[in-house]
């Protein structure tokens, strides 16, 4: 076996494989991704925009089912429960089991249960966040909680923010479910969790800990659910700063789809790159697959 003289660096044989992996053509890279055993798939901007299903999604999900891929929809949106996401997809014509959904709220609740099992929280967010926290054994507490947890939603107001700052000054830890500062809704940007947390950080003088993508925490939880090695998994997402970065931190191959937030020109503004860039998830379905043939016949 060839070995590197420097501990921790790749031996020559492995380095050669890495170079070959990086130097494939785009078509070869897509083929390589198609052969993965499991897919972690972001939702907003990949599967839908608001209540509109994106092109190619039906075929992609059908192909994953037909080829027995493992898959997990992974969203930084902490507002819905897995069941609500399952019902939303069903209304859009995609039928998958509730166990295929994972949110930043669940990731946050799981992380907090490792920090302070049975603790209490002051939570600012939507039902999906409260549901996840209750499910992990946390109580709601507006007086002396262990954590102030901020998630997605339109409920943040001056009163809640002032309470959060007061509780943090008294010792509660500030937790954000996800760092996205904005999201696309109805064709324009709207503020999201990262922006709300920023305001509380400024007012309290304390830095938050974020749980959702791009943390390797969320990627590792997802990988564990899928039960695959990192080489067998890929991350498909529409944001460089959460989905692609999350995959890179977790050493998982990434696919950037251009159907959401990040655009091809944004690639020039970051010091990392996805493994491959495609227009949408439909590009990951082999043209000869039966789901594509069926869609063509139906149109
Ligand atoms: O609204 C937000 O917080 C997020 O930007 C959005 O919901 C993220 O969703 P994802 O793309 O992770 O499904
Ligand atoms: Mg997205």
């Amino acid at each position: 076996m060839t070995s590197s003289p420097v501990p921790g660096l790749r031996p020559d044989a492995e380095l050669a494989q890495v170079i070959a992996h990086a130097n494939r053509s785009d078509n070869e890279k897509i083929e390589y991704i198609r052969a993965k055993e499991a897919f972690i798939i972001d939702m907003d901007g990949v599967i839908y925009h608001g209540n509109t299903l994106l092109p190619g999604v039906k075929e992609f999900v059908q192909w994953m089912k037909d080829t027995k891929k493992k898959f997990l929809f992974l969203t930084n949106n902490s507002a819905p429960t897995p069941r609500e996401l399952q019902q939303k997809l069903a209304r859009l014509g995609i039928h998958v089991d509730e166990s295929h959904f994972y949110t930043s709220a669940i990731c946050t609740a799981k992380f907090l249960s490792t920090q302070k099992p049975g603790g209490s929280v002051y939570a600012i967010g939507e039902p999906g966040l409260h549901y996840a926290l209750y499910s992990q054994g946390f109580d709601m507490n507006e007086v002396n909680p262990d954590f102030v947890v901020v998630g997605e939603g339109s409920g943040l107001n001056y009163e809640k923010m002032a309470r959060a700052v007061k509780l943090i000054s008294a010792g509660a830890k500030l937790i954000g479910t996800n760092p996205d500062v904005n999201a696309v809704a109805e064709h324009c940007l709207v503020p999201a969790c990262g922006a709300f947390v920023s305001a509380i950080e400024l007012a309290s003088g304390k830095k938050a800990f974020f749980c959702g993508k791009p943390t390797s925490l969320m990627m590792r939880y997802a990988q564990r659910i899928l039960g695959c090695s990192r080489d067998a998994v890929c991350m498909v997402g529409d944001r460089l700063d959460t989905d692609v970065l999350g995959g890179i931190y977790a050493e998982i191959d990434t696919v950037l789809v251009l159907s959401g937030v990040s655009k091809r020109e944004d690639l020039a503004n970051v010091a990392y790159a996805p493994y491959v860039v495609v227009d949408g998830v439909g590009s990951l379905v082999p043209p000869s697959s039966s789901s594509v043939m069926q869609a063509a016949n139906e149109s």
Side-chain angles (χ1 to χ4, degrees), residues 29-254:
K29 285 181 177 178
I30 292 173
E31 278 307 324
Y32 177 81
I33 292 293
R34 283 176 183 149
K36 294 274 182 188
E37 187 183 336
F39 288 72
I40 301 175
I41 309 141
D42 173 45
M43 299 199 77
D44 254 349
V46 176
I47 301 300
Y48 48 64
H49 277 154
N51 287 318
T52 308
L53 195 69
L54 290 171
V57 171
K58 253 188 185 154
E59 292 80 359
F60 176 60
V61 175
Q62 192 56 51
W63 170 73
M64 287 196 298
K65 287 180 179 177
D66 291 346
T67 52
K68 309 249 177 311
K69 303 287 186 192
K70 293 181 180 176
F71 59 94
L72 189 67
F73 293 108
L74 195 79
T75 179
N76 257 359
N77 190 348
S78 61
T81 64
R83 185 140 152 209
E84 287 163 351
L85 287 169
Q86 186 234 334
Q87 289 168 352
K88 174 172 179 164
L89 282 206
R91 285 192 294 274
L92 294 172
I94 306 279
H95 300 276
V96 292
D97 190 81
E98 201 181 320
S99 59
H100 288 284
F101 298 89
Y102 199 78
T103 73
S104 63
I106 305 172
C107 171
T108 301
K110 186 175 165 79
F111 166 69
L112 293 184
S113 74
T114 66
Q115 295 281 297
K116 180 98 188 181
S120 67
V121 301
Y122 176 59
I124 304 174
E126 298 289 321
L129 178 59
H130 290 84
Y131 178 78
L133 290 164
Y134 278 130
S135 304
Q136 284 289 302
F138 284 90
D139 295 313
M140 299 298 142
N141 175 349
E142 298 193 353
V143 181
N144 58 350
D146 300 300
F147 305 102
V148 167
V149 184
V150 181
E152 225 41 82
S154 54
L156 183 65
N157 56 25
Y158 179 82
E159 195 196 334
K160 289 182 182 173
M161 201 174 144
R163 185 178 291 275
V165 171
K166 184 176 163 196
L167 297 173
I168 293 162
S169 305
K173 307 284 186 203
L174 176 58
I175 305 291
T177 56
N178 60 300
D180 308 50
V181 289
N182 52 35
V184 180
E186 311 302 335
H187 308 296
C188 67
L189 286 181
V190 292
C193 181
F196 311 146
V197 171
S198 257
I200 297 173
E201 284 182 330
L202 276 174
S204 66
K206 296 278 166 58
K207 276 290 186 203
F209 179 79
F210 287 100
C211 297
K213 296 173 285 182
T215 65
S216 20
L217 201 60
M218 185 138 167
M219 305 305 294
R220 285 173 71 93
Y221 290 161
Q223 199 189 324
R224 216 170 293 154
I225 291 170
L226 288 166
C228 296
S229 72
R230 59 173 190 80
D231 288 337
V233 184
C234 66
M235 170 75 213
V236 183
D238 72 308
R239 279 191 88 118
L240 285 164
D241 59 348
T242 54
D243 305 313
V244 172
L245 199 52
I248 286 172
Y249 285 152
E251 290 192 278
I252 289 175
D253 285 320
T254 56

